[in-house]
Each structure stands twice: as structure tokens, then as C-alpha cells.
């Protein structure tokens, strides 16, 4: 029997509800409404990324989510002074630091904690002291895991984007090699006392091998679920994802 660390939580990322809203500059669809529905459907947390260019989630969304959710809010942000001020204002349950480039379509690659460890260590200190669970969004790379432990992060979120891309490109040997790296880095992070999360690009088809890692405690999934909601509704999409995750742990 595999010794799982605990029940695998599902964090639902509602950024792309805001993407649809912002496409027309309207007041709908409302990310808070999606978050409440996700909560009812069994999401263990809500994730939202306030990007520097505000292309989806807006400042007012973060305030509304913080005020109205009963599950934890995982606030994704770049390590900038502006975002730190916003995080310190709202004090979300969790802060996940992500790299951010204006020209990217989505978060490409992980944070380079190893190269920026001094600055990031100082950056996360006030957030930790304020009681936020601080997480580093990193690639499956030993130096990044070790640096995250060294600077005092509580969590690493392993970037599953490369694994998912390789799966859908049909590069199965490379996909399996990336999966092995993710598995090894989940074990390393756990051995260093870090809580292990994972996310990016996950779908019904790709979630199970990641959910089966015994150290993984939380998956954060957004784009696929919001897309699937167009066809089956958000509650059904979340319920099916939950079933896939549970099957992987059975
Ligand atoms: N985790 C992190 C840190 C992310 O930046 C994102 C995307 O915003 C996700 C998880 C969710 O990725 P996806 O929307 O591809 O499921």
C-alpha cells in the first residue's frame, strides 16, 4: 500500500472566467460566482492569479474572493513590491510566487529560486510572519527544490506544464522522463520538509500519474476545468476531476 501524505486537495483556478468577462469588458461572467459554485462542487480551495497587466483577474476580484469565500484563497503573484503590498492588505491563506512575463500566454516555466534566493528569502519573510503559507512555483529541478527549502518556503508547487505538453504532443518517452523528474522532486521536497503541490495544464487525461505521487497534497487546476464547464457545467467538470484524482489514490 502506498503511504499517501494525506487527502489530495483540489484548488480550482478561476482566472479564465475573468478572461471571458474581460474579452467584452462586461460585468459577467463573475469569477466570484464561479468560485462559489466550485466551492459547492467540492473544491478545497480557490486559486487566482493577479497578473501585473490585469489581463484576467482584477484587484476587485481579489477583494471579493477574500471577503466571500469559505474555502482558502491561494493568491498567485509575481514577486514584486506592488503584489506584496496587495497580499499584505488581503492576507490570503496562501501566496504562490510565480514568474511572470508580459508577453507570455500563460506562466512559462518555474521561478528561478536558486538564482534569486537572497531576494526571495527577504521577499517572503513578511508574508510568512503575517501567517500566509508561501509557495514557490518551480520546475522539477533539484537546485530549485533545495533553494526553496533554504529560503524558508512552506510549499513547492511543481510545474506540470512540460509533462502535459509532451503528453499531447505524443512525445511519450520524453513525457515519462519528465514524469520521473516530477516524482523524484516531489520526494526530495517532502524529505526537506516542504509540502508538495502540483499544477499547470492538467486535464482528466494527465492528472492521474501526478495525483498518484504519495507526497502531493494539492493540485491547482484551471484552464481545462473552465473550458470543460462550457460543455458540462463547472460542477460536473469539478466532480469528474475529483473522481479522477480519487481513482489515482485508490
Ligand atoms: N498553478 C500555478 C502556479 C499557475 O500559475 C497556474 C496557471 O495560472 C495553475 C496552477 C493552473 O494551470 P491551468 O490553468 O493550466 O490548469
Amino acid at each position: 500500500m502506498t503511504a499517501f501524505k494525506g487527502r489530495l486537495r483540489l484548488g480550482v483556478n478561476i482566472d479564465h472566467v475573468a478572461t471571458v468577462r474581460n474579452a467584452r469588458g462586461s460585468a459577467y461572467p463573475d469569477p466570484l460566482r464561479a468560485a462559489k459554485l466550485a466551492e459547492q462542487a467540492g473544491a478545497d480551495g480557490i486559486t487566482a492569479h493577479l497578473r501585473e497587466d490585469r489581463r484576467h483577474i482584477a484587484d476587485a476580484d481579489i477583494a471579493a474572493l477574500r471577503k466571500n469565500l469559505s474555502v482558502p484563497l491561494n493568491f498567485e503573484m509575481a514577486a514584486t513590491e506592488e503584489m506584496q503590498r496587495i497580499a499584505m492588505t488581503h492576507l490570503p491563506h496562501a501566496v504562490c510566487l510565480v514568474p511572470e512575463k508580459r508577453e507570455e500566454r500563460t506562466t512559462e516555466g518555474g521561478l528561478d529560486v536558486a538564482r534569486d534566493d537572497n531576494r526571495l528569502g527577504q521577499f517572503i519573510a513578511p508574508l510568512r510572519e503575517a501567517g500566509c503559507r508561501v509557495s514557490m512555483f518551480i520546475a522539477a529541478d533539484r537546485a530549485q527544490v533545495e533553494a526553496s527549502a533554504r529560503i524558508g518556503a512552506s510549499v513547492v508547487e511543481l510545474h506540470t506544464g512540460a509533462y502535459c505538453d509532451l503528453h499531447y504532443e505524443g512525445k511519450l518517452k520524453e513525457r515519462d522522463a519528465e514524469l520521473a523528474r516530477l516524482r523524484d522532486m516531489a520526494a526530495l521536497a517532502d524529505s526537506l520538509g516542504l509540502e508538495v503541490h502540483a499544477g499547470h495544464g492538467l486535464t482528466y487525461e494527465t492528472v492521474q500519474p501526478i495525483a498518484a505521487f504519495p507526497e502531493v497534497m494539492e493540485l491547482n487546476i484551471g484552464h481545462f476545468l473552465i473550458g470543460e464547464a462550457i460543455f458540462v457545467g463547472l460542477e460536473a467538470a469539478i466532480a469528474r476531476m475529483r473522481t479522477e484524482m480519487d481513482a489515482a489514490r485508490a
Side-chain angles (χ1 to χ4, degrees):
M1 271 274 291
T2 313
F4 293 111
K5 288 289 282 186
R7 182 180 175 273
L8 182 59
R9 299 189 299 267
L10 172 61
V12 173
N13 182 317
I14 42 84
D15 291 351
H16 296 302
V17 177
T19 302
V20 175
R21 175 192 64 190
N22 295 4
R24 291 286 292 271
S26 55
Y28 58 85
D30 178 10
L32 175 61
R33 184 174 170 199
K36 302 286 279 178
L37 209 59
E39 225 177 73
Q40 279 169 33
D44 300 289
I46 297 297
T47 294
H49 183 178
L50 184 66
R51 292 187 72 105
E52 188 191 7
D53 62 8
R54 310 299 199 268
R55 69 175 70 159
H56 38 59
I57 292 293
D59 298 61
D61 295 321
I62 296 296
L65 290 165
R66 187 70 186 94
K67 187 159 163 242
N68 295 293
L69 285 181
S70 26
V71 293
L73 173 64
N74 177 31
F75 179 51
E76 286 181 7
M77 61 180 225
T80 64
E81 275 179 34
E82 181 202 18
M83 290 301 153
Q84 192 182 54
R85 254 195 325 276
I86 295 170
M88 292 299 282
T89 302
H90 296 295
L91 294 178
H93 168 79
V95 168
C96 180
L97 294 188
V98 302
E100 210 177 284
K101 292 196 231 84
R102 266 186 187 255
E103 66 277 15
E104 70 190 359
R105 268 188 299 184
T106 181
T107 312
E108 292 167 357
L111 200 60
D112 196 346
V113 188
R115 208 178 63 179
D116 209 11
D117 55 348
N118 259 333
R119 186 182 79 87
L120 289 173
Q122 285 171 25
F123 186 87
I124 68 173
L127 297 164
R128 290 174 56 205
E129 278 159 29
C132 297
R133 186 197 70 187
V134 179
S135 162
M136 301 284 138
F137 187 46
I138 57 169
D141 179 276
R142 173 176 289 273
Q144 303 302 341
V145 174
E146 289 174 348
S148 300
R150 196 163 63 240
I151 68 167
S154 313
V155 178
V156 284
E157 179 162 329
L158 298 175
H159 197 316
T160 52
Y163 151 72
C164 293
D165 287 347
L166 290 165
H167 174 85
Y168 282 105
E169 288 161 10
K171 297 178 179 163
L172 302 189
K173 250 173 85 179
E174 291 94 328
R175 175 200 67 185
D176 291 344
E178 178 64 10
L179 197 57
R181 272 191 292 278
L182 287 161
R183 186 183 303 111
D184 290 350
M185 290 309 107
L188 174 68
D190 178 64
S191 75
L192 295 174
L194 291 156
E195 186 171 308
V196 183
H197 300 179
H200 209 280
L202 292 171
T203 64
Y204 300 149
E205 223 177 284
T206 52
V207 74
Q208 286 211 7
I210 303 292
F213 296 166
E215 301 85 4
V216 172
M217 298 284 290
E218 181 175 307
L219 298 179
N220 285 300
I221 307 180
H223 184 252
F224 175 79
L225 286 175
I226 302 304
E228 192 63 9
I230 295 169
F231 304 106
V232 301
L234 189 56
E235 285 168 292
I238 291 171
R240 165 90 190 272
M241 188 59 82
R242 183 78 252 174
T243 303
E244 300 291 338
M245 288 163 56
D246 291 343
R249 306 285 268 213

